[in-house]
Amino acid sequence: MDKNHRKRLLNDWFVYALNAVHALLTLLPPPLRWLGFKLMLGRLGAGVHFDYRVYFKYPWLVQIGSDVSVNRGVEFYPGLYGGKARIIIGDGVRIAPNVRFHAAGHDPAHPELTDVGADIVVEDGAWIGAGAILLQGVRIGQGAVVAAGAVVTQDVAPGRIVGGVPAKEIGRRALP
């Protein structure tokens, strides 16, 4: 059995066990589900609301601040291979349904599509709209807004509103 086959087999068993944990968490009432996420995540602040069907691939590589809302169907994919790539969510962030964070991927220029990754950081007070996708290495600035369905491939400056595929600036908002 070669190294890649062993790696895939180990990943299959890990994902199986992780899905079993997520299935159990889905059955629990909110306070117990929050406690389960508190035990799994790298950091979890106070007053975080998790809707149902929230998924974390490598939960210990995800950090979430205080007063954050994570809606139904949000998926977090930090990177374990090709350098640990974390997902860091600040305080007061709002994450709408079905948002996906992809901090890992593959190098398309490499013949074997080697694993690569970079941290995703969402600063305080940002709002990520429904169905948005944030890709590896992006930083969403304080108070920024990512419109529904946007695909973010570059940093978003504080107070900016971005939308589209790929996301481009479409407005600004006043920050306190």
Side-chain angles (χ1 to χ4, degrees):
M1 183 182 307
D2 71 354
K3 180 181 175 183
N4 284 335
H5 183 54
R6 279 192 305 272
K7 186 172 147 182
R8 278 192 213 105
L9 188 60
L10 181 61
N11 185 65
D12 288 346
W13 281 104
F14 170 75
V15 170
Y16 173 78
L18 188 60
N19 278 305
V21 168
H22 279 287
L24 174 64
L25 288 172
T26 297
L27 298 173
L28 296 176
L32 293 177
R33 193 170 66 250
W34 184 90
L35 184 58
F37 286 133
K38 176 83 172 166
L39 295 171
M40 291 171 51
L41 297 176
R43 177 179 175 266
L44 181 60
V48 176
H49 166 75
F50 289 105
D51 202 339
Y52 288 91
R53 292 190 304 111
V54 174
Y55 179 81
F56 297 94
K57 175 81 183 255
Y58 302 113
W60 60 91
L61 294 175
V62 177
Q63 301 173 19
I64 299 177
S66 297
D67 186 34
V68 173
S69 176
V70 182
N71 275 281
R72 184 174 301 257
V74 174
E75 299 175 1
F76 295 84
Y77 297 97
L80 186 61
Y81 305 108
K84 290 187 174 60
R86 300 167 302 156
I87 298 170
I88 303 165
I89 309 295
D91 297 334
V93 172
R94 302 296 175 250
I95 304 171
N98 301 313
V99 169
R100 286 187 267 154
F101 297 87
H102 293 277
H106 301 282
D107 180 357
H110 193 280
E112 294 179 19
L113 297 172
T114 56
D115 295 314
V116 295
D119 292 352
I120 294 173
V121 177
V122 179
E123 294 180 1
D124 297 350
W127 174 25
I128 313 300
I133 299 172
L134 282 68
L135 299 180
Q136 61 189 15
V138 300
R139 176 178 289 272
I140 308 301
Q142 180 178 359
V145 176
V146 175
V151 177
V152 182
T153 60
Q154 298 179 359
D155 291 354
V156 177
R160 300 305 196 270
I161 302 169
V162 299
V165 179
K168 297 193 181 330
E169 185 175 328
I170 59 174
R172 296 179 182 213
R173 63 186 287 241
L175 295 177

